[in-house]
Every structure is written in structure tokens, then in C-alpha cells.
Amino acid sequence: MAKTTAHIISHSHWDREWYLPFEKHRFYLVKLMDALLEKLENDPDYKSFHLDGQTIALDDYLEVRPEKFELVKKYIEEKRIIIGPWYILQDAFLTSAEANVRNLVIGINETKKYGPYSKLGYFPDTFGIYGQAPQMLRQAGIDTAAFGRGVKPTGFNNMVSDSENFESPYSELEWQSPDGSSVLGVLFANWYSNGNEIPSSEEEAKKFWEQKLADAEKYASTPHLLYMNGCDHQPLQKDLPEAIKLANELYPDIEFKHSSFEEYMEAIKNSLPEKLQTVKGELRNQRTDGWSTLVNTASARIYLKQMNQSAQTKLERLLEPIATFAYMNGEEYPEDYLRFAWKQLMQNHPHDSICGCSIDEVHEEMVTRFKKVDQMADKLIEEQSEKLAAKINTEAPAGFDKAIPLIVMNTAGYKRHTTIEKVIDFEKVYFGEMPLQEIHGYLKNKALPKLAVVNVKGEEIPATIEDLGSAFGYDLPDDKFRQPHYAKKVKVTFATEELAAFGYDTYFLVEKESTVSLQGIAKEGNILENDYLRVSVHGDGTYDVLDKVTGHELKAVGSYEDTSDIGNEYMFKKATGEQAYTTKGLQANVKIIENNASRGSIEITHQFEIPAAAHEELEDLKDRVVWHKDREARRSDEMTTLELKTILTLDKQAKGVAVKLAFNNTAKDHRLRVVYPTGFTTDHHLAESAFEIVERPNKPEMEWSNPSFDHHQHSFASLSDGKNGLTVATKGLQEYEVVEDNTTLAITVLRAVSELGDWGYFPTPEAQCLGEQTAEWYVIPHAGDAISAKAYEAAYDFQIPTICVQTDSHDGELATNGQFINWESNGLVLTSIKRGETSEDLFLRVYNPSDEEKTLTIHHPDHVNYYESNLIEEKIATIGEKYQERPVGPYKILTVGMEGVN
Ligand SMILES: [Zn+2]
């Protein structure tokens, strides 16, 4: 038996913002870094420091002390400060698949200005991790991961067991993705603070090591024991070399060394037992009692998740594709701006940030960051799409001389139909063209001619055209002073014909008397109906949804239920035995509010009376820092009324019903959910996660004692009995639960709590989310399950708008309609099309959500060299030239590089 080695790794887990706002935490980071640099300079026995796996800590320090750059770089080069690979320590479930990739790609690129980076998938505090992480890491050249949560070690005499009850007997395990790729995983079985503050006096050191050696040996499969010398925001232990020297004197049979992950991982790899437990897929604390999963961060401050969903979608699904198409047609790609925008967005992705589990000041700053990303994305989308529009021939079809071209661009990567609702400038009058005081009235009162929308062939498309009067506006030309004007505004609503994948089409607003019939989508009796669906609304606001393709009907769905929440930002807890309030049977006001050929909407208004807050006994529980599990508090006797305004919208070609809820939240300490009973009998369900549509059991494992069994989703969750299914897609509603004997999907639309939780009492009044709230989701009935029915495409239809550009009539090198990239996804799910971070090649990324091999086919561009890339945009295999096919194995992530596009 080899000599036992205690690897002591110094670190400080750095939540950038949490129980203090960013600048106050940074104040302590600067102190820590100052102390570290001084120690490294003066004490050769202080070997190295692991800088928490995130490069942003360097930016945060060097912004204050830019003169320290060279010194920092020197120690990074000497591997005494160990950095990367991430840019920030993100939450794994509340950020998109691509956001997780960018965190790695941008993080690794950031390290290049300093020196080497740590090839360890470091997730010290992450609140559970998605199942494709091993595959992602492997595709970035990383074969080990370390994490603090998600797996329960059992530590039973260090015996490897085949019993299902033992998740892993060791802190070392093989962690495997659904495609079969795996990494060596190390669980911080005794947390990442098990070597914190090591005593340097004999008596205390003996006491310390006696306990710590036993704790580590309990889980270690090798003679190499891991001691993490640090904790959250832990200051530097300056006498660590003395403490290590003392330990070596006290325990001559053990070697205590100031180590690094590189040394430790190398050592354990050389002495692992023959058999390690393989843990497959997601690490979500499935085998625990369920009280510490932190899963309800998915519903803390939902407004943050909504803003994040919008920002991610704009960057990944609109801006990057549209900029790629412009780049393919000779325009410059805005890579600097994109990187800057991504970094801003990712600053909101650390686990204490996007999870909404910090103090109010933290989340106020996040809102500003989200708004900045939105501003950049909107401006760049506008610029890139206008550049593309300028290259497209928009000459009107024969017979129409006065036409306003509207180009519709589909960045979603699959063919689709959509309803366009576009406000256009019908006529502009610039200041100076008319006396200023007269312009507004002139445009407002000018009658519109007879107008209609036609396609490229000159065929009329049913459209609704509304005069919105006159409004002030301005142009900002590239080479001239700003140009103020008024414009006559016209709103045009129409359903497009089929849009090709990565395609575009041009429609024209023309002077013409309409000759098409405009049969509305809404019908008497509060019904919405198109070719696919029929929605009938009941008096209590629930509705039946008939899938006209399968004939299956969902009955009385969409009621709301409200319960108390006496937990905190991390965890939901309702009082034992409490009955939920429901809108079922509560008379609602139901009326049709929009009805035209391309769209119909019904508004449902409920007066929903619920308790105004938790009983004041909750205050005492919070003051005494009683753990959420042990809390019991009633709801108050005082009631408040929520006026819930729900709008159901059905578009002409839509395969789902869009739902938008708006209300003024006047209640505290509660959770509001929308409920979809399906009647499907099933023991599992599907949900979208990072690079997978993951299957999860409807019922927890036997260890679970939390009465709630909530889950995370990216954009949808889905129930199916194999024959019929229901997928509910959302915009930023990321918490759901399967309830009522496995048949009902409940989606959280609001969770209101008043404190952070964790290690003390931190009041967070803004987490009550008082005031105006909105929530949006999309109800998609289908045949089969979400994968076989490609329900994810309908879900993305809901999340990804098309881009509609008003332009003028001009000649162009691109045809009036067409495809920028011609490919067939054949059941693969697209996550990205972009230009490289550092190369001029294009990268298209897909994953296979199924257990069958699929084939990616690209027909165009046909003048490039195709290759297979890894996740960090390095070429790993040549594919070939021209028309290409590439098989994609079950659950595989594939990135295709395209060289020579531009
Ligand atoms: Zn943390």
C-alpha cells in the first residue's frame, strides 16, 4: 500500500455577488489577491492557489489594481496561481446550452493573455449539473471534473456496490453522459472547505487531523486524500506552510503537501481501484432527502429568468445567425461586440446571480446588465438584418408600383410558419419639409389608401391593416447629422407562407382593394380554431384543447393554484396539510379581444382571492434562522384579490396556444402555478436541459422526504403516454412539477418569498415580487412524445421570433426569397450557428436528442471545406467539400466547422 498523501489545495470560492453586492465582495477580493501576491513573493513554501476556476476574478482584481498585471501573469505562468477554465461559475440548469459553451470558450480564451489554464471541469458550488457535462468537457479536451453537489456518496466501508441504493461509495466516480462519454469525477464529499483553517498549534492540529483524516478516508478510493484549504470568500491562510510542516511532524506515516488539482488528479488516476461506480447523466441530488437540492432557485425572482431567456435568445438565436448570414454575404462579423455582450450576460449567470438567491442590491444590478445586453442585441440585430436586406432584391411583383417590401427572416434553422405583427412607417415627413407644427396633424388625419399584402408572386395574403396615426421618430445616418421626422404608423398583421430553414421571404404592402376572405380564428362561444387546434374556454377560465390531427382532447386545463411559501429564495416550503386555493370553479370574465384571419385572442379575467401573506408567526421563524424544512406557519386571515388577466392567442398556422398572464401581485409568501391535467398515465416525463431532452421519473427515489418534487427546465416539459403528448413551453418559467398521480403538469408562474436563506437571516423584500408581473407559456398538444413529434420545434417557434425588416424597393444580388444555409436537421436539434471566436470559420452546432443515429445534411454553402470541430472551435476531423452528410450518434453533440465561407 502506497503511503497516504494529504493533498492540501488552497482556494477561495468566490461568489462575485451574494449576501453582499458585487462591489462589497470585490473589496474583499482585492484584499485576498493582495495578500496572495505578497505571500507568493515572500514565501516559496506557499506553493500555489486555485483561483476558483473562473477568470473573471482576475478582471475584477485588475480593474482596481491594473499595475499588478505582470505580477499576476508571472505567477500564473509559474502555475502558482491556477486559473480557468471558466469565465464565471455559472448555474448549470438556468443558463442555456450555448451559454455553458461560451462560458468555457470565452473563459479559455481569456486565460491566454496570462498563461496556462486548469484542465479541470470545476463546479464547486453548482446547484446540480446537467447530464451532458461530461461530453461537453471531453469535447473541450478536459477529462476530469470536481463538484460539490448532486451526488450522494454512501461511504460504506469503501466497498464498491452494485446496489442501486448506493450512488457512489467513493468521492471518486466515473461520470457518464448519455452518449457514453465520461470523465473522472471527484465529489467534494466533505465539502470544499474540509481543509480550511488548518491549525498550526500542536494540540488543535491533532484534534483537527484526527477528525479530518477519518472523514476523508471514509470516501477516498485511493491513498490520496483531498483537503480543500478555503471556503466561500475565505481570506488567505498565511501560516499554512507552518501548519503543513507541523502535520508532517505529527503524522510521519502520512505525507502532507501543499498540492494542486493537477498533482492530485494525476496521483489519483495512477492509483484508482479497478472498479469505480458509474454515475449516469444528471447530478440533481436524486438520492437525497430532497430538502437541500436548491431546485426552487428556478422560481426565485422569475423576472430575472425571463430577462435572461430574452437576452440569450437574442444573442444565440437571432443576432448570431443573422450576423452569420450577413458575413456569408460579405459583411463584417461583429465578433468583438458579441463577445462583449456575452460577457455582460454571463456576469448574470453565476449560481448566486441567475438563481435569484442573493440580496436585493445584487439583483438590481443584474437587471441593469440584462438591459445593457438587450440594448446591444437589439441594435446589432437591426444593423445586421438591414445590411442583409440591402442585398436582397425587393422589386415588387409586376403590376404593383407603390409597394413597401417587408422581408421576413427565419433564423430558427427549421422550416416554419409564423404570424407577423409589424408596425411600419407608411409615410415619413422630415422636419423642414413642412412647418413643424403641421406635420403631426397632416399625417394623423391623412386617410390610408386601400391596402393589401401580397407575396413575391403577387398573390394576396390575408392581412389586417390598422392605421395607428402619427408618431415622432428620427434617423441616425452614418455620414450626416440626425434626421428628425414624423411617420404615419401602420400595423400590418399577417400569417406567412412556409418559411424555409435559415430562409427568408419578401412580402409587399401594396395599394390594392383586398379580394381575399378574412375568416377569423375566433368563434362565438369563446372558441379559437385553426387547422390544427380547437380551444374552447369554459366559464371558470379553464379550456379544452382539441388536437385536430390526433383527435385527442385535453379537458379543463389552465386553472391556477396558489399555496403559501414559507421557505426562502433557495427552497419552497408550504405548511403541512395546507389546501391550495384554486381558480377551478371560480367564475371568470371571458371575452374575445382580437379576431382576424391570422390571429384570434380570448381574454380571461379572474378575481382570485388568496391570503395576503403568511401569518406573522413566520417572522419569528426567520428571526431565529429556523431551517425551511422545520418551519410551520399558517397563512394570514387577511385576504387580497389578484386580478389575473390571461390572454389565449391562437395563430393561423400555430401548433400551440400562446398564453400570457398579467397581474398585479399584492400577496406575499406564496407560490402561484398554472395546472395542466393531461390524463396520460405514465411514470416518467421529458424536459429540455443543456444539449438534451432529458427523461426524468415522475416520482422521487425512496430517500426523498420533501413533499415537493420540483424540477428545472430550459424551455419546456412534456408528458406523454406514448400515443398522445402535451408539451408546455415557456419564456423563462423554469420550474415545474408532475403532480396528481403522474398525470398533471404544474408550471410555476410566480414565487414570492422574503429572505435569502442559507447561513443567516438576510431579508429580501424584492423577492416578494410585488407589483405588475407577467408570465408567458405555450400549450402544444401532439402525437407521440416531444422528441418523436419534434415538439421542441414548436417550443422554439414560441421563443424565437422571426425578424421582419421594412425596406425600400431595390435591386440586389440575393433573390427575393431563398435560404442562407440549406441543411436538413433530420431530427437533430440546432443550438448555434455563428462565426468563430478567434477564427473566420463558421460553426454550426446540433445535438441528437434521441437514442438512434441521425444524419446531418448540408447542401449549401457548397464552396467550403467542412470539418468536425470540438466545442472550443478546434478542428478534429475533416469531413470534406461541397454537399455533405454526417452521421450523429445517439445523444451526440456535433459541431461542424466551415472553412472558406467568406
Ligand atoms: Zn457559490
mmCIF file of all heavy atoms in Angstrom, residues 13-18 52 54 89 124-127 149 191-192 232-233 350-352 570, ligand 1:
data_model
loop_
_atom_site.group_PDB
_atom_site.id
_atom_site.type_symbol
_atom_site.label_atom_id
_atom_site.label_comp_id
_atom_site.label_asym_id
_atom_site.label_seq_id
_atom_site.Cartn_x
_atom_site.Cartn_y
_atom_site.Cartn_z
ATOM 1 N N HIS A 13 -13.565 30.089 -2.564
ATOM 2 C CA HIS A 13 -14.698 30.051 -3.503
ATOM 3 C C HIS A 13 -15.287 31.450 -3.586
ATOM 4 O O HIS A 13 -15.743 31.988 -2.577
ATOM 5 C CB HIS A 13 -15.746 29.041 -3.035
ATOM 6 C CG HIS A 13 -17.001 29.124 -3.856
ATOM 7 N ND1 HIS A 13 -16.971 29.036 -5.230
ATOM 8 C CD2 HIS A 13 -18.292 29.341 -3.512
ATOM 9 C CE1 HIS A 13 -18.198 29.168 -5.696
ATOM 10 N NE2 HIS A 13 -19.009 29.362 -4.675
ATOM 11 N N TRP A 14 -15.225 32.030 -4.800
ATOM 12 C CA TRP A 14 -15.572 33.440 -4.894
ATOM 13 C C TRP A 14 -16.895 33.710 -5.589
ATOM 14 O O TRP A 14 -16.947 33.876 -6.810
ATOM 15 C CB TRP A 14 -14.435 34.249 -5.568
ATOM 16 C CG TRP A 14 -14.511 35.622 -4.996
ATOM 17 C CD1 TRP A 14 -15.215 36.665 -5.500
ATOM 18 C CD2 TRP A 14 -13.972 36.056 -3.745
ATOM 19 N NE1 TRP A 14 -15.166 37.731 -4.632
ATOM 20 C CE2 TRP A 14 -14.399 37.385 -3.542
ATOM 21 C CE3 TRP A 14 -13.195 35.456 -2.751
ATOM 22 C CZ2 TRP A 14 -14.054 38.118 -2.422
ATOM 23 C CZ3 TRP A 14 -12.846 36.192 -1.638
ATOM 24 C CH2 TRP A 14 -13.269 37.511 -1.483
ATOM 25 N N ASP A 15 -17.971 33.760 -4.810
ATOM 26 C CA ASP A 15 -19.242 34.245 -5.346
ATOM 27 C C ASP A 15 -19.055 35.740 -5.542
ATOM 28 O O ASP A 15 -18.821 36.468 -4.579
ATOM 29 C CB ASP A 15 -20.361 33.970 -4.337
ATOM 30 C CG ASP A 15 -20.468 32.487 -4.015
ATOM 31 O OD1 ASP A 15 -20.689 31.704 -4.940
ATOM 32 O OD2 ASP A 15 -20.288 32.123 -2.825
ATOM 33 N N ARG A 16 -19.168 36.162 -6.788
ATOM 34 C CA ARG A 16 -18.910 37.578 -7.088
ATOM 35 C C ARG A 16 -19.879 38.491 -6.358
ATOM 36 O O ARG A 16 -19.580 39.637 -6.041
ATOM 37 C CB ARG A 16 -19.140 37.819 -8.576
ATOM 38 C CG ARG A 16 -17.946 37.728 -9.412
ATOM 39 C CD ARG A 16 -18.332 38.141 -10.813
ATOM 40 N NE ARG A 16 -17.702 39.360 -11.205
ATOM 41 C CZ ARG A 16 -18.294 40.294 -11.928
ATOM 42 N NH1 ARG A 16 -19.537 40.163 -12.304
ATOM 43 N NH2 ARG A 16 -17.631 41.377 -12.278
ATOM 44 N N GLU A 17 -21.104 38.004 -6.210
ATOM 45 C CA GLU A 17 -22.169 38.771 -5.554
ATOM 46 C C GLU A 17 -23.078 37.747 -4.896
ATOM 47 O O GLU A 17 -23.361 36.711 -5.458
ATOM 48 C CB GLU A 17 -22.926 39.619 -6.586
ATOM 49 C CG GLU A 17 -23.260 38.873 -7.884
ATOM 50 C CD GLU A 17 -23.855 39.725 -9.001
ATOM 51 O OE1 GLU A 17 -23.671 40.947 -8.980
ATOM 52 O OE2 GLU A 17 -24.506 39.158 -9.890
ATOM 53 N N TRP A 18 -23.508 38.060 -3.701
ATOM 54 C CA TRP A 18 -24.363 37.087 -2.997
ATOM 55 C C TRP A 18 -25.036 37.760 -1.801
ATOM 56 O O TRP A 18 -26.015 38.459 -1.964
ATOM 57 C CB TRP A 18 -23.511 35.869 -2.574
ATOM 58 C CG TRP A 18 -24.265 34.758 -1.867
ATOM 59 C CD1 TRP A 18 -25.604 34.476 -1.968
ATOM 60 C CD2 TRP A 18 -23.719 33.786 -0.962
ATOM 61 N NE1 TRP A 18 -25.920 33.388 -1.192
ATOM 62 C CE2 TRP A 18 -24.794 32.934 -0.561
ATOM 63 C CE3 TRP A 18 -22.449 33.536 -0.458
ATOM 64 C CZ2 TRP A 18 -24.613 31.877 0.330
ATOM 65 C CZ3 TRP A 18 -22.265 32.472 0.422
ATOM 66 C CH2 TRP A 18 -23.341 31.658 0.813
ATOM 67 N N ASP A 52 -10.400 29.408 -8.073
ATOM 68 C CA ASP A 52 -11.833 29.125 -8.151
ATOM 69 C C ASP A 52 -12.366 28.841 -9.551
ATOM 70 O O ASP A 52 -13.571 28.921 -9.780
ATOM 71 C CB ASP A 52 -12.611 30.281 -7.515
ATOM 72 C CG ASP A 52 -14.003 29.846 -7.050
ATOM 73 O OD1 ASP A 52 -14.149 28.657 -6.668
ATOM 74 O OD2 ASP A 52 -14.928 30.660 -7.071
ATOM 75 N N GLN A 54 -12.548 30.389 -12.275
ATOM 76 C CA GLN A 54 -13.212 31.437 -13.059
ATOM 77 C C GLN A 54 -12.258 32.613 -13.308
ATOM 78 O O GLN A 54 -11.712 33.183 -12.386
ATOM 79 C CB GLN A 54 -14.465 31.915 -12.341
ATOM 80 C CG GLN A 54 -14.251 32.202 -10.850
ATOM 81 C CD GLN A 54 -15.474 32.823 -10.194
ATOM 82 O OE1 GLN A 54 -16.316 33.403 -10.857
ATOM 83 N NE2 GLN A 54 -15.550 32.715 -8.877
ATOM 84 N N LEU A 89 -18.487 31.088 -12.689
ATOM 85 C CA LEU A 89 -19.050 29.816 -12.205
ATOM 86 C C LEU A 89 -20.565 29.876 -12.357
ATOM 87 O O LEU A 89 -21.262 30.408 -11.504
ATOM 88 C CB LEU A 89 -18.653 29.561 -10.756
ATOM 89 C CG LEU A 89 -17.164 29.287 -10.501
ATOM 90 C CD1 LEU A 89 -16.928 28.940 -9.029
ATOM 91 C CD2 LEU A 89 -16.621 28.185 -11.392
ATOM 92 N N PRO A 124 -17.544 23.767 -8.131
ATOM 93 C CA PRO A 124 -17.517 23.535 -6.685
ATOM 94 C C PRO A 124 -18.881 23.659 -6.010
ATOM 95 O O PRO A 124 -19.218 22.843 -5.170
ATOM 96 C CB PRO A 124 -16.551 24.609 -6.179
ATOM 97 C CG PRO A 124 -16.554 25.673 -7.237
ATOM 98 C CD PRO A 124 -16.757 24.935 -8.526
ATOM 99 N N ASP A 125 -19.637 24.676 -6.419
ATOM 100 C CA ASP A 125 -20.854 25.010 -5.672
ATOM 101 C C ASP A 125 -22.108 24.847 -6.526
ATOM 102 O O ASP A 125 -23.208 25.096 -6.061
ATOM 103 C CB ASP A 125 -20.741 26.473 -5.196
ATOM 104 C CG ASP A 125 -21.705 26.799 -4.080
ATOM 105 O OD1 ASP A 125 -22.245 25.860 -3.467
ATOM 106 O OD2 ASP A 125 -21.922 27.994 -3.815
ATOM 107 N N THR A 126 -21.940 24.430 -7.786
ATOM 108 C CA THR A 126 -23.057 24.395 -8.730
ATOM 109 C C THR A 126 -24.217 23.571 -8.161
ATOM 110 O O THR A 126 -24.007 22.488 -7.628
ATOM 111 C CB THR A 126 -22.572 23.790 -10.065
ATOM 112 O OG1 THR A 126 -21.293 24.350 -10.346
ATOM 113 C CG2 THR A 126 -23.518 24.119 -11.187
ATOM 114 N N PHE A 127 -25.430 24.106 -8.299
ATOM 115 C CA PHE A 127 -26.617 23.508 -7.673
ATOM 116 C C PHE A 127 -27.149 22.356 -8.532
ATOM 117 O O PHE A 127 -28.261 22.370 -9.024
ATOM 118 C CB PHE A 127 -27.716 24.560 -7.500
ATOM 119 C CG PHE A 127 -27.304 25.809 -6.739
ATOM 120 C CD1 PHE A 127 -28.115 26.926 -6.741
ATOM 121 C CD2 PHE A 127 -26.119 25.863 -6.017
ATOM 122 C CE1 PHE A 127 -27.770 28.077 -6.050
ATOM 123 C CE2 PHE A 127 -25.754 27.015 -5.321
ATOM 124 C CZ PHE A 127 -26.574 28.129 -5.341
ATOM 125 N N ARG A 149 -21.916 19.173 -5.283
ATOM 126 C CA ARG A 149 -23.305 18.762 -5.040
ATOM 127 C C ARG A 149 -23.790 17.808 -6.118
ATOM 128 O O ARG A 149 -23.207 17.708 -7.173
ATOM 129 C CB ARG A 149 -24.228 19.984 -5.098
ATOM 130 C CG ARG A 149 -23.901 21.083 -4.145
ATOM 131 C CD ARG A 149 -24.881 22.231 -4.380
ATOM 132 N NE ARG A 149 -24.436 23.464 -3.780
ATOM 133 C CZ ARG A 149 -24.687 23.808 -2.524
ATOM 134 N NH1 ARG A 149 -25.374 23.007 -1.751
ATOM 135 N NH2 ARG A 149 -24.233 24.957 -2.043
ATOM 136 N N TRP A 191 -17.209 18.495 1.412
ATOM 137 C CA TRP A 191 -17.348 19.893 1.007
ATOM 138 C C TRP A 191 -15.977 20.494 0.644
ATOM 139 O O TRP A 191 -14.927 19.889 0.885
ATOM 140 C CB TRP A 191 -18.074 20.691 2.086
ATOM 141 C CG TRP A 191 -18.723 21.958 1.558
ATOM 142 C CD1 TRP A 191 -18.622 23.204 2.111
ATOM 143 C CD2 TRP A 191 -19.539 22.111 0.386
ATOM 144 N NE1 TRP A 191 -19.327 24.119 1.370
ATOM 145 C CE2 TRP A 191 -19.904 23.482 0.300
ATOM 146 C CE3 TRP A 191 -19.999 21.239 -0.606
ATOM 147 C CZ2 TRP A 191 -20.693 23.996 -0.736
ATOM 148 C CZ3 TRP A 191 -20.786 21.739 -1.636
ATOM 149 C CH2 TRP A 191 -21.124 23.104 -1.692
ATOM 150 N N TYR A 192 -16.044 21.673 0.015
ATOM 151 C CA TYR A 192 -14.790 22.278 -0.447
ATOM 152 C C TYR A 192 -14.107 23.114 0.633
ATOM 153 O O TYR A 192 -13.333 24.004 0.343
ATOM 154 C CB TYR A 192 -14.989 23.080 -1.743
ATOM 155 C CG TYR A 192 -16.099 24.131 -1.702
ATOM 156 C CD1 TYR A 192 -16.004 25.264 -0.895
ATOM 157 C CD2 TYR A 192 -17.231 23.975 -2.495
ATOM 158 C CE1 TYR A 192 -17.011 26.214 -0.879
ATOM 159 C CE2 TYR A 192 -18.246 24.920 -2.488
ATOM 160 C CZ TYR A 192 -18.130 26.040 -1.671
ATOM 161 O OH TYR A 192 -19.134 26.978 -1.650
ATOM 162 N N ASP A 232 -16.066 29.802 1.168
ATOM 163 C CA ASP A 232 -16.627 30.965 0.482
ATOM 164 C C ASP A 232 -15.932 32.237 0.968
ATOM 165 O O ASP A 232 -15.917 32.520 2.165
ATOM 166 C CB ASP A 232 -18.125 31.091 0.798
ATOM 167 C CG ASP A 232 -18.900 29.838 0.420
ATOM 168 O OD1 ASP A 232 -18.384 29.027 -0.373
ATOM 169 O OD2 ASP A 232 -20.023 29.685 0.933
ATOM 170 N N HIS A 233 -15.393 33.002 0.034
ATOM 171 C CA HIS A 233 -14.755 34.296 0.352
ATOM 172 C C HIS A 233 -13.755 34.163 1.490
ATOM 173 O O HIS A 233 -13.680 35.019 2.363
ATOM 174 C CB HIS A 233 -15.804 35.350 0.722
ATOM 175 C CG HIS A 233 -16.926 35.437 -0.269
ATOM 176 N ND1 HIS A 233 -18.185 34.940 -0.016
ATOM 177 C CD2 HIS A 233 -16.970 35.921 -1.526
ATOM 178 C CE1 HIS A 233 -18.957 35.146 -1.085
ATOM 179 N NE2 HIS A 233 -18.240 35.733 -2.013
ATOM 180 N N PRO A 350 -23.619 33.532 -12.772
ATOM 181 C CA PRO A 350 -23.145 32.759 -11.607
ATOM 182 C C PRO A 350 -24.324 32.219 -10.791
ATOM 183 O O PRO A 350 -25.416 32.784 -10.820
ATOM 184 C CB PRO A 350 -22.342 33.784 -10.805
ATOM 185 C CG PRO A 350 -21.860 34.752 -11.829
ATOM 186 C CD PRO A 350 -23.012 34.871 -12.803
ATOM 187 N N HIS A 351 -24.044 31.122 -10.056
ATOM 188 C CA HIS A 351 -25.159 30.443 -9.387
ATOM 189 C C HIS A 351 -25.897 31.324 -8.393
ATOM 190 O O HIS A 351 -27.099 31.164 -8.229
ATOM 191 C CB HIS A 351 -24.683 29.138 -8.728
ATOM 192 C CG HIS A 351 -23.413 29.257 -7.965
ATOM 193 N ND1 HIS A 351 -22.187 29.092 -8.543
ATOM 194 C CD2 HIS A 351 -23.177 29.531 -6.664
ATOM 195 C CE1 HIS A 351 -21.249 29.238 -7.622
ATOM 196 N NE2 HIS A 351 -21.812 29.513 -6.482
ATOM 197 N N ASP A 352 -25.208 32.256 -7.757
ATOM 198 C CA ASP A 352 -25.956 33.098 -6.812
ATOM 199 C C ASP A 352 -26.643 34.269 -7.502
ATOM 200 O O ASP A 352 -27.406 34.996 -6.869
ATOM 201 C CB ASP A 352 -25.013 33.632 -5.724
ATOM 202 C CG ASP A 352 -24.509 32.500 -4.854
ATOM 203 O OD1 ASP A 352 -25.332 31.697 -4.399
ATOM 204 O OD2 ASP A 352 -23.286 32.403 -4.664
ATOM 205 N N TYR A 570 -33.967 29.847 -1.924
ATOM 206 C CA TYR A 570 -33.455 28.558 -2.386
ATOM 207 C C TYR A 570 -34.514 27.470 -2.466
ATOM 208 O O TYR A 570 -34.516 26.660 -3.377
ATOM 209 C CB TYR A 570 -32.350 28.047 -1.448
ATOM 210 C CG TYR A 570 -31.094 28.860 -1.447
ATOM 211 C CD1 TYR A 570 -30.870 29.836 -0.482
ATOM 212 C CD2 TYR A 570 -30.122 28.638 -2.416
ATOM 213 C CE1 TYR A 570 -29.700 30.572 -0.487
ATOM 214 C CE2 TYR A 570 -28.947 29.370 -2.424
ATOM 215 C CZ TYR A 570 -28.741 30.341 -1.452
ATOM 216 O OH TYR A 570 -27.592 31.064 -1.461
HETATM 217 ZN ZN ZN B 1 -21.046 29.753 -4.573
#
